[in-house]
Each structure stands twice: as C-alpha cells, then as structure tokens.
Amino acid sequence: MSASYAILHIIIPFRATTQPERRGQLETLLACFQRDLPEARVLVVEQGCARAFNRGALLNIGVSVARCSDIDSVCTQDVDMLPHADLIPEYTRELDPGTVRHIAGGWNRYTQPCPRKSVGGIQRNFLGGVVMLKHEHFRAVNGYPNDFWGWGGEDDELRDRLVLHGLEVETSAGGITDLENNGSGLTRNQKLKYLKKTKQRCPNKKELRRWHRTHPSEQGLAQVQWQVMDTLEYYPNCTQYTVNIVEPC
Ligand code: UDP
Ligand code: MN
C-alpha cells in the first residue's frame, strides 16, 4: 500500500431532497469504495439547508472538515460517478508534481464530440465528476467558489484557478458509469431544461464567472462558513456530515 493511499480523502457532495435518486446512487458508490478502497477516508457532505444545491461550498466544507495533520490528497467525487475496476488504481497512484488528475476524464460526456462548447471538437475543458489534487494545491487556489447556488459554473471556476496557478491537468483512462443515466432517462438537454424549470440551475452563473475573473481565488475554501447539524458513520472510514452553509459566503 502506498503512503498516499492511507491519507486520501474522498469528498462527496450530496443531498437527496429535491433529487431523491441520489440516495440510491450514494449506496452504490459507498459499497464500491468500502470494497475497493477501504482505507481511503470518505466524507459525504450533505447539504442540510433548503437553498439551491451548492456543490462548491460543500466540497470546500468537506476539505475543511477533513483537515488533519496527515491529509495529502483530496478527491472531489460526484455521487453518480461509479468507477470501474480499471479506474480504481487512479485513486491511489501518486500525483506527479504540479499536476491535478481528472479521474472522470474518460467519461463519454467529456470525450464525445460537442461542436458548440469544445476545443477541437472534444470537451477537453470540462473538469467535473471526479478530480484528485494535492491538498496543498487545493489550498493554494482557495478551492472552489462558494457562491454558485444551483447547477453549473463552480467546476469551470476551479479549472480557471488551477490554470492560473500553472497546474497541469492529466486525464485518466478507465471506465466510469454515470449512475444518473441509468434512472432518469433524460438526455442532457432535457435535464438542463428540467433543472431550469425547477429553479435548480445557477441563475447568475455568467455574472459570477465575470466577477471571479476579476477577483481570482478571492472567495473560496478560506471563506466558507458552516455549521454541522448532524453526523452519521456509514462504515469506519466513511462519515456523513450534514451541514448548514452559513451565508454570505
Ligand atoms: N448533487 C446532489 N443532490 C442534488 C444535486 C447535486 O447530491 O440535488 C450532487 C451529486 O453528488 C451530483 C453532483 O452534485 O453527482 C453534481 O450534480 P449533477 O450530477 O447534477 O451534475 P452533472 O452530472 O450534470 O455535471
Ligand atoms: Mn451527474
């Protein structure tokens, strides 16, 4: 077992109120981690407050809660991204200096041609799903922004922060199942329309992106505030924190 394996923290942003199917996805993912990565520390950060889902703030809270003397790398992990056996070693392989690993980079959403939002026909720019980085790098870029309430934008902001700090993004090869696609039967466009209609999309993403461009890394990990409302142990290395995100953040 490598040294980094014991101190990898996997952070899962989670809430199953407006999207109840997230509960089953969490059970499937945790069964995988308990079986295949039993020594990784897994933190589920459940949003306890009712406002639109805030993935960036929850991931920052997870990293803050995980902070302890031996934290080495952190992996931000969506609940619906189930790694196949060939991807598991990517969670434990040492990161090369100055690099960040896009573990979900082989997922077909990122590799399928998309003429509208792409570089050379491929969506090479997206940095969602599962991303692993050194804790020191996450701190250096001040993590994710905290002010994207609703779907979209926070992952683009993280990518910009990493690029500004001169970090390289490497992409993992390996299989991944999108658990979301198994249940809802919605295409991506249908999903985005549905999120908009139900006010689950970030309404001011463009303005926020503009603000952050002129205030790089000013608002993020160091500014996030929260209260822990509840904790729950799923298995010895896996704890859920239910948190209230304290505004403004
Ligand atoms: N998420 C959640 N509950 C919600 C919304 C989002 O648990 O109501 C979490 C979950 O981990 C999910 C991640 O946020 O995988 C990203 O959201 P989503 O899957 O909708 O993003 P996409 O796959 O479209 O990038
Ligand atoms: Mn998803």
Side-chain angles (χ1 to χ4, degrees):
M1 186 198 317
S2 75
S4 66
Y5 183 36
I7 48 183
L8 165 69
H9 288 70
I10 299 174
I11 321 276
I12 306 171
F14 177 72
R15 185 172 70 181
T17 49
T18 43
Q19 299 180 7
E21 68 279 10
R22 300 298 181 184
R23 177 73 53 199
Q25 294 170 359
L26 182 66
E27 280 167 18
T28 305
L29 184 67
L30 293 187
C32 165
F33 286 152
Q34 185 172 17
R35 187 189 60 232
D36 293 340
L37 292 168
E39 295 189 43
R41 294 191 192 145
V42 180
L43 276 95
V44 180
V45 190
E46 181 186 40
Q47 182 169 330
C49 45
R51 204 174 160 182
F53 193 72
N54 189 331
R55 181 172 175 270
L58 293 174
L59 291 168
N60 285 339
I61 293 167
V63 173
S64 307
V65 169
R67 191 176 297 155
C68 55
S69 54
D70 63 356
I71 186 167
D72 177 77
S73 47
V74 295
C75 181
T76 64
Q77 165 84 44
D78 281 358
V79 77
D80 51 21
M81 296 271 84
L82 183 69
H84 298 181
D86 62 345
L87 204 55
I88 294 293
E90 287 293 88
Y91 286 79
T92 59
R93 189 165 62 79
E94 189 64 51
L95 284 158
D96 290 334
T99 68
V100 168
R101 183 171 302 149
H102 192 197
I103 292 185
W107 178 31
N108 59 12
R109 184 188 298 170
Y110 300 124
T111 55
Q112 263 168 13
C114 172
R116 202 162 61 83
K117 284 190 179 170
S118 65
V119 177
I122 303 287
Q123 304 186 37
R124 290 256 174 254
N125 265 339
F126 286 173
L127 192 64
V130 190
V131 178
M132 183 168 138
L133 64 173
K134 288 275 182 199
H135 181 235
E136 64 183 270
H137 292 149
F138 195 82
R139 260 202 332 248
V141 306
N142 205 16
Y144 285 88
N146 299 311
D147 48 358
F148 287 73
W149 296 89
W151 185 96
E154 82 296 335
D155 45 355
D156 297 328
E157 178 56 30
L158 179 73
R159 182 203 57 217
D160 287 359
R161 293 180 180 199
L162 298 174
V163 170
L164 265 183
H165 281 77
L167 294 163
E168 296 270 340
V169 179
E170 64 165 56
T171 301
S172 299
I176 198 153
T177 295
D178 181 5
L179 295 173
E180 221 178 354
N181 275 350
N182 294 351
S184 74
L186 297 181
T187 65
R188 182 134 188 90
N189 274 347
Q190 286 167 336
K191 173 183 167 175
L192 296 186
K193 268 190 194 148
Y194 170 76
L195 290 179
K196 192 168 183 184
K197 203 169 110 199
T198 54
K199 300 199 182 333
Q200 294 186 69
R201 261 182 100 158
C202 179
N204 53 342
K205 174 179 151 179
K206 278 193 185 144
E207 292 84 339
L208 289 169
R209 293 276 289 136
R210 217 174 294 130
W211 186 87
H212 282 283
R213 235 170 257 136
T214 52
H215 300 77
S217 290
E218 265 185 34
Q219 204 265 22
L221 178 68
Q223 286 71 37
V224 73
Q225 292 189 50
W226 71 96
Q227 292 150 343
V228 176
M229 298 159 73
D230 205 1
T231 59
L232 171 68
E233 189 183 279
Y234 285 108
Y235 59 90
N237 258 342
C238 175
T239 305
Q240 175 171 289
Y241 292 83
T242 303
V243 298
N244 176 31
I245 304 166
V246 176
E247 299 177 51
C249 70

